[in-house]
């Protein structure tokens, strides 16, 4: 029977035997266990060399140029992206392209972080020579020392002996996981050293779900003429008109110094319904314990407060004065949850 005929005889919808399924799960768990052990060994190996690499990358006046070939190259791309998104300007340079003009991307103000499990990747030679020629700081993440890369680098993170999760011990698995994790460790340490704030993080992540989580209150709040405010002493009939026009389901009460002293909501109107309601002064109904938030707070924090207090609006206060109001519905429309 031909291979094509054999393939046609196979029923692709036939479930795999339970024993085969269990074997698959056992193999997958084994991979994760081996790689977890590898990360533990790498963590225990950190010391002076790690701090030296951190110092070198932090002191770069330009960018951190991350490079590697093959699987190490794919890891290098991710590390460069993580650096760039956490306050350390970085870019990936392909080592094979470097010898054909891309060396111009690496300047004397930069620092190079080169990745190679063997430490003998021939494609890295052009970058290594360029770094030495122009006095560019060179750091390495390498699996073997001594090796060309480890010996050439100013500082090298040498991976401890690791067992690859591949059953043949050939495919880069534990080693690339270790390199990736070391890149994360470097990025987080540099983030802390640079004092990289949540505000700066938000500036670099304006899009997608992550960007929504980093939206600030002032970006969503109602302000100016959209803010429902009345003064102490205002009659409820006038306050009700303001509440209706602003369409936030509440009205804030301010004193002569424009400080927020209370709030009246739709629920308060229902609870105090009486024949003389509209003629009463607003302070007869207002709640003095107004929950507020600052304009620079994250919108997710506003959502948390509103959920905890079972309310739908928070007044935004700066210097003890109301500057806006943020509604739960506006947060949900913006993808903040």
């Amino acid at each position: 029977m031909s291979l094509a005929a054999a393939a046609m005889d196979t029923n692709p919808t036939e479930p795999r035997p339970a024993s085969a399924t269990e074997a698959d799960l056992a193999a997958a768990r084994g991979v994760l266990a081996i790689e977890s052990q590898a990360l533990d060994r790498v963590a225990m190996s950190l010391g002076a060399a790690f701090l030296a690499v951190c110092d070198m990358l932090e002191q770069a006046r330009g960018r951190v140029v991350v490079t590697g070939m093959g699987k190490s190259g794919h890891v290098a791309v991710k590390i460069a992206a993580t650096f760039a998104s956490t306050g350390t300007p970085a870019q990936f340079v392909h080592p094979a392209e470097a010898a054909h003009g891309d060396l111009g991307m690496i300047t004397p103000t930069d620092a190079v972080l080169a990745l190679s499990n063997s430490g003998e990747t021939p494609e890295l030679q052009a970058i290594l020579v360029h770094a030495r020629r122009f006095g560019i700081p060179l750091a390495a993440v390498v699996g073997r020392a001594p090796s060309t890369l480890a010996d050439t680098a100013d500082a090298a993170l040498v991976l401890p002996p690791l067992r690859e999760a591949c059953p043949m011990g050939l495919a880069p698995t534990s080693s690339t996981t270790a390199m990736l994790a070391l890149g994360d460790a470097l990025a987080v340490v540099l983030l802390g050293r640079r004092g990289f704030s949540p505000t700066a993080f938000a500036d670099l992540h304006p899009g997608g779900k992550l960007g929504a989580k980093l939206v600030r209150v002032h970006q969503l709040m109602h302000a100016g003429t959209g803010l429902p405010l009345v003064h102490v002493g205002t009659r409820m009939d006038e306050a009700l008109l303001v509440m209706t026009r602003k369409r936030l389901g509440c009205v804030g009460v301010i004193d002569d110094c424009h400080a927020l002293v209370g709030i009246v909501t739709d629920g308060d109107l229902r609870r105090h319904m009486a024949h003389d309601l509209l003629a009463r002064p607003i302070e007869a109904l207002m709640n003095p314990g107004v929950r507020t938030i600052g304009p620079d707070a994250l919108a997710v924090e506003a959502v948390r407060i509103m959920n905890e207090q079972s309310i739908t609006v928070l007044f935004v206060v700066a210097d003890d004065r109301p500057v806006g109001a943020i509604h739960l519905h506006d947060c949900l429309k913006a993808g903040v949850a």
Side-chain angles (χ1 to χ4, degrees):
M1 181 183 294
S2 67
L3 290 177
M8 293 177 64
D9 286 343
T10 301
N11 183 359
T13 63
E14 184 177 339
R16 287 171 57 79
S19 58
T21 300
E22 287 302 317
D24 289 345
L25 293 175
R29 293 182 181 120
V31 169
L32 297 180
I34 292 170
E35 296 196 3
S36 176
Q37 293 165 9
L39 292 180
D40 288 339
R41 297 197 66 182
V42 172
M44 295 300 297
S45 72
L46 297 183
F50 179 83
L51 296 176
V53 172
C54 289
D55 292 341
M56 186 182 304
L57 302 185
E58 181 187 15
Q59 292 164 10
R61 292 177 290 115
R63 297 177 181 273
V64 175
V65 175
V66 193
T67 188
M69 192 69 191
K71 305 298 186 297
S72 295
H74 294 306
V75 173
V77 171
K78 192 272 179 185
I79 291 176
T82 300
F83 279 158
S85 70
T86 53
T88 298
Q91 66 178 357
F92 171 76
V93 172
H94 196 291
E97 298 292 341
H100 298 276
D102 283 3
L103 284 176
M105 297 181 180
I106 310 173
T107 74
T109 64
D110 298 329
V112 173
L113 177 63
L115 281 59
S116 171
N117 191 37
S118 69
E120 303 295 343
T121 306
E123 291 86 355
L124 287 174
Q125 182 178 355
I127 291 179
L128 302 188
V129 171
H130 182 75
R132 297 296 66 141
R133 178 183 177 187
F134 292 101
I136 300 170
L138 173 63
V141 178
V142 61
R144 285 199 307 153
S147 61
T148 299
L149 178 56
D151 296 343
T152 304
D154 297 300
L157 295 177
V158 181
L159 300 178
L162 301 176
R163 174 189 170 193
E164 298 288 10
C166 166
M168 297 178 291
L170 298 175
T173 45
S174 299
S175 56
T176 48
T177 297
M179 287 183 177
L180 188 64
L182 274 174
D184 289 341
L186 289 169
V188 170
V189 170
L190 292 173
L191 176 155
R193 288 189 179 190
R194 297 178 190 278
F196 193 69
S197 67
T199 299
F201 197 83
D203 290 339
L204 299 179
H205 298 77
K209 188 65 176 177
L210 182 57
K213 288 182 178 294
L214 295 170
V215 168
R216 300 282 164 177
V217 167
H218 68 80
Q219 295 174 272
L220 298 179
M221 71 183 189
H222 300 259
T225 58
L227 194 57
L229 292 174
V230 297
H231 283 85
V232 171
T234 301
R235 280 173 40 126
M236 278 307 304
D237 54 355
E238 298 176 24
L240 187 57
L241 291 175
V242 173
M243 186 186 302
T244 303
R245 285 199 302 268
K246 306 304 181 181
R247 303 179 65 181
L248 288 179
C250 68
V251 62
V253 185
I254 56 176
D255 61 18
D256 292 338
C257 296
H258 206 76
L260 186 67
V261 295
I263 185 174
V264 174
T265 67
D266 286 336
D268 294 322
L269 295 178
R270 291 191 294 272
R271 284 187 289 272
H272 293 84
M273 189 63 66
H275 69 278
D276 63 341
L277 172 65
L278 298 182
R280 300 173 69 183
I282 194 163
E283 54 266 31
L285 276 74
M286 77 176 189
N287 297 302
V290 189
R291 289 304 304 265
T292 62
I293 195 167
D296 293 325
L298 291 174
V300 289
E301 176 68 7
V303 172
R304 182 188 66 79
I305 294 173
M306 286 187 276
N307 285 334
E308 288 178 352
Q309 300 296 316
S310 298
I311 57 179
T312 57
V313 178
L314 275 177
F315 274 93
V316 184
V317 173
D319 298 326
D320 297 326
R321 295 188 174 189
V323 295
I326 184 168
H327 197 286
L328 180 61
H329 293 167
D330 295 317
C331 294
L332 298 178
K333 285 181 182 178
V336 178

